[in-house]
Amino acid sequence: MMATFTSDFVLGGVAAMGAGLVTNPVEVIKIRMQLQGELAARGSHAQPYKNVLQAFVAVAKNDGILGLQKGLAPALCFQFIINSIRLSTYTHAVEKGWVHNKKGEISFLRGMFWGALGGVVGSYCASPFFLIKTQLQAQAAKQIAVGYQHSHTSMTNAIRQIYRKSGFFGLWRGSMASVIRTTVASSVQISTFGKAKSLLKDNGIITQPTCLSFFSGLAAGSFVSVAVTPFDVITTRLYNQGVDSHGRGLYYKGWLDCVAKILRSEGVYGVYKGFWPIYLRMAPYSTLVLLFFEELIAVREKYDLHY
């Protein structure tokens, strides 16, 4: 059992890295659109990113094609840590029967609980990489720069700069925002995936394993993108803001202060900035990470690769 849990841990991380590699360009666009017009009334600011397609062109033109893969190293580190923890936690709970009701069916609420629990632990452990990823992805050429611009040259340089300025715990600045965001995303994603898979399979709608995983993941990603967008915007804003000499945020004091200022300055529209890139990333990401994870598990079982 411990060997299976260990392999689930590794396979979950590898699956997420594969999905993250494919969807990272959309993540870059999402970050830029969320920071565009920060704390400014709608229509009163420059708008270098007008829509998703135009944003891709603007980044490629001004930052180069490789600009669409900014922050890839910390993004992959983040994906491995958070997903190895949350996916292995959920899989272990399924194997133990902790997500099933008395009838032996997968319980939506129990699935949500175990998905959230794994997400909370994983997001907190991986928070420094999310912080660095956000700051690197926000860096842009002057013509299309939005939000606070940090001066990091790489992931290791960012770690050194943050440590030098704010100490070891400065790497966990804004981590509670990430925990809240991931709690919502993970609980909705994993529970929806499990429930959708059960419904599709039990009703004979889809039975082929790969197709079943694909469509279940697609359903999960669609629900997640709607639920998580406001929390994602808040996390991006808190992670990307600059800090003063005392390590305090230049724009926001904390999570609630960030929510209040966005609503006051930008309205409800502000907390849904970047919805479409979130959807365009989240749906295929959820599909790919869960599909890759299940396919890797199938390979492990086929060749008895427990370790």
Side-chain angles (χ1 to χ4, degrees):
M1 183 62 69
M2 181 56 68
T4 300
F5 181 79
T6 302
S7 62
D8 284 347
F9 182 91
V10 174
L11 295 181
V14 172
M17 289 176 72
L21 181 65
V22 175
T23 58
N24 192 62
V26 185
E27 181 76 7
V28 173
I29 300 304
K30 181 207 75 171
I31 293 293
R32 304 285 180 85
M33 295 185 80
Q34 288 177 336
L35 293 171
Q36 183 170 254
E38 186 169 12
L39 298 182
R42 189 175 184 181
S44 66
H45 57 83
Q47 195 174 4
Y49 308 105
K50 296 176 175 60
N51 56 62
V52 177
L53 182 59
Q54 181 271 335
F56 270 100
V57 175
V59 173
K61 180 180 178 180
N62 292 277
D63 291 335
I65 293 296
L66 292 180
L68 290 167
Q69 284 289 13
K70 281 194 173 183
L72 181 61
L76 293 182
C77 291
F78 171 77
Q79 292 296 341
F80 182 86
I81 295 171
I82 185 173
N83 286 289
S84 60
I85 292 174
R86 76 187 187 96
L87 291 176
S88 59
T89 298
Y90 181 78
T91 302
H92 188 65
V94 171
E95 291 174 350
K96 288 287 188 178
W98 296 336
V99 300
H100 297 83
N101 56 28
K102 294 179 179 179
K103 297 180 180 179
E105 301 170 337
I106 292 179
S107 166
F108 183 81
L109 291 178
R110 292 183 183 184
M112 182 175 286
F113 169 78
W114 286 105
L117 181 63
V120 166
V121 177
S123 64
Y124 187 78
C125 293
S127 185
F129 294 106
F130 197 103
L131 172 70
I132 295 165
K133 174 196 76 71
T134 301
Q135 295 181 2
L136 285 172
Q137 290 176 336
Q139 290 179 205
K142 186 177 181 180
Q143 301 93 317
I144 56 171
V146 292
Y148 189 88
Q149 295 291 291
H150 296 269
S151 58
H152 310 316
T153 57
S154 66
M155 181 175 75
T156 53
N157 175 259
I159 293 173
R160 285 196 297 268
Q161 285 201 46
I162 295 170
Y163 177 78
R164 191 180 303 120
K165 189 169 187 177
S166 305
F168 178 76
F169 289 105
L171 291 165
W172 269 267
R173 179 171 61 84
S175 59
M176 290 312 298
S178 180
V179 167
I180 295 171
R181 167 193 173 277
T182 306
T183 299
V184 174
S186 186
S187 60
V188 173
Q189 181 192 51
I190 289 183
S191 59
T192 304
F193 177 78
K195 194 64 176 179
K197 188 176 179 181
S198 177
L199 287 172
L200 291 172
K201 185 177 180 180
D202 293 347
N203 288 285
I205 299 173
I206 300 174
T207 55
Q208 202 281 329
T210 301
C211 289
L212 183 62
S213 295
F214 178 84
F215 284 102
S216 299
L218 187 62
S222 300
F223 278 97
V224 170
S225 58
V226 174
V228 82
T229 297
F231 303 98
D232 199 75
V233 171
I234 294 163
T235 302
T236 295
R237 298 285 182 88
L238 288 172
Y239 273 167
N240 191 65
Q241 70 171 336
V243 295
D244 60 21
S245 58
H246 300 288
R248 294 176 299 207
L250 296 178
Y251 304 150
Y252 314 105
K253 297 177 183 177
W255 199 88
L256 290 176
D257 183 56
C258 183
V259 175
K261 285 182 176 177
I262 291 175
L263 291 175
R264 186 163 58 246
S265 302
E266 305 169 56
V268 175
Y269 167 79
V271 294
Y272 270 92
K273 280 184 175 179
F275 170 79
W276 286 112
I278 285 177
Y279 179 79
L280 291 174
R281 174 195 175 276
M282 194 65 72
Y285 171 82
S286 294
T287 303
L288 289 172
V289 70
L290 295 169
L291 174 61
F292 289 167
F293 183 53
E294 295 231 329
E295 291 301 307
L296 287 169
I297 288 177
V299 171
R300 180 194 66 192
E301 298 301 324
K302 181 178 180 180
Y303 295 102
D304 195 25
L305 299 176
H306 294 271
Y307 47 87

